[in-house]
Amino acid sequence: MRLVIDCFKLVKGKGKSIGIYNLAQNLAQHLTETNRNGERCEEIIVLGNEYNRKDFDIPGIRFVQMKGNPLNKLTCLVWELFIVPFQARKYKADRILFPRGYRPLFYRGKDTVIIHDLIPFFYDKYFPSVLNRVENAYIMSRLKASMKHADRIITISEFSRREIDAMCPGSGKRVRVIYNGLNEVKCSRNKCALIPEEPYIYAAASGLPHKNAAGVLKTYDAYYHQTQHPARLIVVGILNTDGYEISSEAASHVTCYKYIERSEDMHSLLAGARVFLFLSLIEGFGFPPLEAMQLGVPVVCSDRTALAEVVGDAGLLTDPDNYAQSVKCLNRILTEEELRQQLIRKGYENVKRFGWDSRITAYWRSWPGEC
């Protein structure tokens, strides 16, 4: 089998695709490492661009730098709809892998699309004014077409599999659930200057509604006013508390970071927390709770969508709209040391489910008879 991976549109740090970029990079790396001497397939070819060459042009991969600017929307549209089929034929692809989930409209060869989530449909239903309506409608139509016509669909959770089946009835036989692989997170060797002296809760959010920064701050407001000596809250993903419903007293105990440039600093800050709070409304998978577990930080997590199956019983699950319940979970971890240590142990065990070796084996097995 000659496997082609379409990475032309992937540019690290651009758009909303950093998770997809990292998955594609890890896939290319691990597929290559498990294809020594062509044991699995004859050749792995990556169709890339000038920006991602440094990450994908690695030993064992034939990297082809495509012409055109992947940051130009028109170029990407033409690439996605028309050029990819030509390149697949040119490089004699037996199968082409689309990490972004969009296949060409008129491709007739064997292909695999990775559908990470159906969040565009969530926004269309619950937050229609947040995203560009025309662009989101196009994305939804492309996802539907890919789900309908792809030879093989890989998705990253049972929740997403059910969503795909509801959106595209009869697709079940073509869908394989393969959880994301988890990389080891690294902390700064030196003490991180961002870490406060007093105990703190670490929360991950963003300005996007589905990340639920509003719920995080409302939960903390309730916690603050019910607790005699409240821990500080650190929120990564928003600039400040302006525009959110939180009292000035509670807000004075909140530190916000829109973005932390060095991942080592961000993970060091996370590692120093007493508890990690994650109240997202929808996730196709959910890396943040797993990263907290990897660092030995107990987790309070939303019970919505894929998060329950990813976190399991290694964290305390809560209804993100039930602030009293979330506060109770926070207080339990902060005051019950036996529970805290139990969750830390369970967290370490839980992350073992997401090792890359088993993920890559599942990818190879998803192409039976070809490798």
Side-chain angles (χ1 to χ4, degrees):
M1 176 180 76
R2 181 175 283 107
L3 175 66
V4 172
I5 307 175
D6 174 20
C7 296
F8 172 72
K9 293 174 63 177
L10 297 179
V11 179
K12 196 167 191 175
K14 300 296 182 181
K16 305 180 183 70
S17 61
I18 183 64
I20 298 175
Y21 187 101
N22 289 338
L23 173 63
Q25 182 182 359
N26 279 293
L27 271 179
Q29 179 72 45
H30 289 284
L31 286 171
T32 301
E33 289 176 355
T34 53
N35 189 46
R36 303 292 186 188
N37 302 316
E39 295 173 358
R40 295 281 192 169
C41 70
E42 176 185 349
E43 188 175 26
I44 299 175
I45 301 170
V46 168
L47 306 180
N49 59 62
E50 62 179 306
Y51 302 102
N52 63 25
R53 181 165 205 138
K54 64 182 185 300
D55 290 325
F56 290 96
D57 191 0
I58 59 177
I61 280 181
R62 180 182 175 189
F63 182 88
V64 183
Q65 182 173 313
M66 296 287 105
K67 295 180 180 179
N69 181 7
L71 300 177
N72 181 280
K73 289 185 177 181
L74 180 59
T75 299
C76 289
L77 179 66
V78 174
W79 168 268
E80 181 180 286
L81 295 178
F82 306 110
I83 299 179
V84 168
F86 170 79
Q87 296 296 338
R89 290 191 296 271
K90 178 179 178 180
Y91 291 101
K92 300 178 180 179
D94 294 301
R95 178 170 295 275
I96 184 165
L97 175 64
F98 297 103
R100 287 178 57 89
Y102 310 124
R103 73 185 301 277
L105 287 176
F106 308 109
Y107 186 60
R108 294 295 178 263
K110 290 186 177 181
D111 64 328
T112 296
V113 296
I114 303 178
I115 305 291
H116 301 265
D117 56 58
L118 299 183
I119 289 178
F121 299 92
F122 177 84
Y123 270 84
D124 184 64
K125 182 176 181 179
Y126 296 105
F127 301 105
S129 62
V130 172
L131 302 179
N132 181 293
R133 295 294 295 272
V134 174
E135 187 173 344
N136 201 47
Y138 171 77
I139 290 172
M140 289 190 295
S141 68
R142 295 290 294 113
L143 282 172
K144 285 182 179 179
S146 292
M147 287 185 278
K148 183 177 180 180
H149 299 291
D151 172 67
R152 184 60 47 86
I153 301 168
I154 290 175
T155 192
I156 56 179
S157 64
E158 288 292 339
F159 166 77
S160 291
R161 181 193 62 76
R162 293 192 295 271
E163 292 283 286
I164 291 169
D165 190 56
M167 187 73 62
C168 186
S171 61
K173 292 182 179 180
R174 294 180 290 117
V175 180
R176 299 289 184 276
V177 175
I178 303 178
Y179 288 133
N180 282 325
L182 182 64
N183 292 331
E184 181 181 358
V185 294
K186 298 180 180 179
C187 299
S188 297
R189 294 182 179 178
N190 299 323
K191 179 176 173 58
C192 177
L194 303 177
I195 299 177
E197 294 296 330
E198 70 262 45
Y200 60 94
I201 300 164
Y202 182 112
S206 85
L208 292 171
H210 79 280
K211 292 297 186 181
N212 199 22
V216 167
L217 292 174
K218 287 179 180 178
T219 294
Y220 182 75
D221 196 32
Y223 159 80
Y224 177 86
H225 289 288
Q226 295 175 26
T227 308
Q228 188 173 4
H229 300 291
R232 173 169 288 275
L233 174 67
I234 293 178
V235 186
V236 176
I238 60 173
L239 185 61
N240 52 51
T241 61
D242 294 351
Y244 294 100
E245 295 180 19
I246 182 172
S247 66
S248 58
E249 296 87 356
S252 67
H253 283 69
V254 177
T255 301
C256 298
Y257 295 101
K258 176 67 175 177
Y259 177 70
I260 298 177
E261 185 172 354
R262 296 181 72 248
S263 60
E264 292 88 349
D265 288 339
M266 181 180 68
H267 291 137
S268 293
L269 187 61
L270 173 57
R274 296 291 294 171
V275 59
F276 174 67
L277 181 63
F278 193 65
L279 297 180
S280 180
L281 301 178
I282 179 172
E283 295 289 333
F285 183 71
F287 275 114
L290 295 179
E291 292 180 344
M293 291 177 187
Q294 203 176 31
L295 293 169
V297 180
V299 170
V300 174
C301 183
S302 166
D303 61 3
R304 300 278 176 88
T305 62
L307 291 168
E309 66 183 279
V310 171
V311 171
D313 67 351
L316 296 185
L317 297 174
T318 182
D319 179 349
D321 293 325
N322 188 331
Y323 309 127
Q325 185 183 84
S326 300
V327 169
K328 183 178 179 180
C329 291
L330 287 174
N331 277 323
R332 287 193 65 196
I333 290 178
L334 290 167
T335 60
E336 300 177 26
E337 187 60 25
E338 184 177 347
L339 172 65
R340 174 182 171 79
Q341 294 303 321
Q342 181 185 61
L343 290 175
I344 290 173
R345 290 193 297 272
K346 286 186 174 181
Y348 285 141
E349 286 300 312
N350 188 47
V351 298
K352 293 179 182 178
R353 295 195 289 145
F354 307 100
W356 269 110
D357 287 348
S358 58
R359 305 303 95 211
I360 292 302
T361 297
Y363 268 91
W364 287 121
R365 288 177 177 171
S366 72
W367 304 311
E370 300 175 42
C371 57

